[in-house]
Amino acid sequence: ASHWRDTSLLNATSVLSSGNLWSDENIDSMRRFYVDNLDEGDGNFITKFEGQLAPSPPETKQLAAEMMWFMLLCPSNIGQQYKREFILGIWDWSNTPRPALEPWLSDDVLRGIGSAGTAYNTSRWREIVYFVEFLQLFRAESSSKKRELTNDGRKLAAWMGEFVPGSDHRQLRHMILFLLFPDDFTRIFGKSNRKKVIRSFTDLTRAQVAALTALEGDKQLNRFLEEAAERHPGVELDFYEEPLKSIWQDTEPSAPAETQSD
């Protein structure tokens, strides 16, 4: 993630090969051929994605592959081999040689860090739209502002909430913040689990929890961790590990991990 931040987000350079794949021109091309040309017809995601990008330049298709690489860094409920072939399959649309597997397509890199919600796969197109929006708006900022945002997770989160449409609903928002600032944000990406944790640690009603913005949810989660750290000094705390896991996972009937609809 640090490599992506320094190489691609701030300097527009490719993660997997060479050249300025993350340039404004290529990001604009992703908007033109994909975001502004969504296919609402029949067919699965990858078939429609390929069709929409078919008229685009090879560099746009390579950018799409690298965007998918970043989007698949967090999910641990998707296998490394599947991720790798999915990313390289999109790269193949550019009719250019595949990038080397090492180091950024290795199993270690693609292992994942937490379960993504079902909607992250079933509504992947929404996450791509959000990603393009984020990239365009971020790159429109001054160099000093971009450095400021990538040096301070709370400022980046506030900026995303104010300027990037969909920040209260997209799992990719949580992933970006966790990957860039793992000490400041949790690895809870699905909306249902975020809500469940907050309900378990507060007296807020379902309606009150549902009304929280993503940034307000972050503050609640961080407050819980800070309070727990006082009770468990020296313990590395995580909501998916004890002693916190049983507090929220036992408060309601069990359900498949992260099956939220949004």
Side-chain angles (χ1 to χ4, degrees):
S2 297
H3 172 66
W4 171 80
R5 177 196 63 208
D6 297 338
T7 299
S8 304
L9 184 61
L10 291 173
N11 291 308
T13 307
S14 169
V15 172
L16 303 178
S17 60
S18 60
N20 294 330
L21 287 187
W22 294 75
S23 67
D24 293 341
E25 180 182 2
N26 287 333
I27 296 168
D28 290 345
S29 183
M30 276 293 297
R31 170 172 285 281
R32 183 167 68 255
F33 287 99
Y34 187 72
V35 176
D36 295 338
N37 187 38
L38 293 174
D39 184 352
E40 299 181 4
D42 296 332
N44 61 29
F45 163 77
I46 196 65
T47 300
K48 292 195 287 186
F49 195 30
E50 182 178 11
Q52 287 161 277
L53 293 185
S56 70
E59 294 79 9
T60 304
K61 301 179 178 74
Q62 293 170 4
L63 172 62
E66 294 203 356
M67 288 174 65
M68 194 59 62
W69 170 85
F70 182 83
M71 291 173 65
L72 291 175
L73 285 181
C74 278
S76 57
N77 52 334
I78 303 174
Q80 293 105 309
Q81 184 62 24
Y82 177 87
K83 289 181 181 181
R84 190 160 37 244
E85 287 305 315
F86 195 74
I87 294 161
L88 292 173
I90 296 173
W91 186 281
D92 288 343
W93 301 344
S94 68
N95 292 315
T96 58
R98 288 184 166 188
L101 299 185
E102 297 291 343
W104 306 113
L105 288 168
S106 67
D107 281 354
D108 283 345
V109 170
L110 298 179
R111 179 175 293 113
I113 192 65
S115 177
T118 301
Y120 194 67
N121 293 325
T122 59
S123 294
R124 187 169 286 159
W125 67 271
R126 288 190 174 94
E127 304 290 346
I128 295 175
V129 169
Y130 179 79
F131 203 0
V132 173
E133 294 270 11
F134 167 80
L135 291 169
Q136 286 193 308
L137 291 165
F138 180 87
R139 291 188 58 79
E141 297 286 359
S142 66
S143 296
S144 60
K145 181 66 173 181
K146 285 185 279 193
R147 286 291 179 184
E148 178 186 352
L149 293 175
T150 52
N151 286 330
D152 190 320
R154 290 176 175 81
K155 288 183 179 179
L156 179 59
W159 176 87
M160 292 167 79
E162 183 175 358
F163 295 108
V164 187
S167 289
D168 283 337
H169 305 288
R170 301 274 66 84
Q171 294 185 57
L172 185 61
R173 178 262 185 200
H174 309 313
M175 294 180 182
I176 291 171
L177 290 169
F178 174 79
L179 285 169
L180 296 183
F181 304 97
D183 293 332
D184 298 324
F185 297 90
T186 70
R187 62 187 182 108
I188 306 178
F189 309 126
K191 181 180 287 187
S192 65
N193 273 7
R194 283 172 64 91
K195 289 180 179 179
K196 193 173 179 181
V197 170
I198 294 171
R199 287 200 301 269
S200 299
F201 284 83
T202 69
D203 295 326
L204 296 177
T205 66
R206 286 177 177 268
Q208 288 172 323
V209 173
L212 294 175
T213 65
L215 187 58
E216 290 169 338
D218 294 335
K219 292 177 180 178
Q220 291 279 2
L221 295 171
N222 285 335
R223 180 172 63 83
F224 306 152
L225 288 175
E226 290 170 2
E227 293 173 353
E230 295 178 359
R231 298 192 300 273
H232 304 280
V235 177
E236 185 173 347
L237 296 169
D238 186 290
F239 285 113
Y240 290 103
E241 304 289 342
E242 297 298 356
L244 301 182
K245 178 180 177 180
S246 58
I247 295 175
W248 66 274
Q249 290 202 347
D250 291 346
T251 58
E252 298 177 6
S254 299
E258 303 286 5
T259 56
Q260 77 290 339
S261 60
D262 201 352

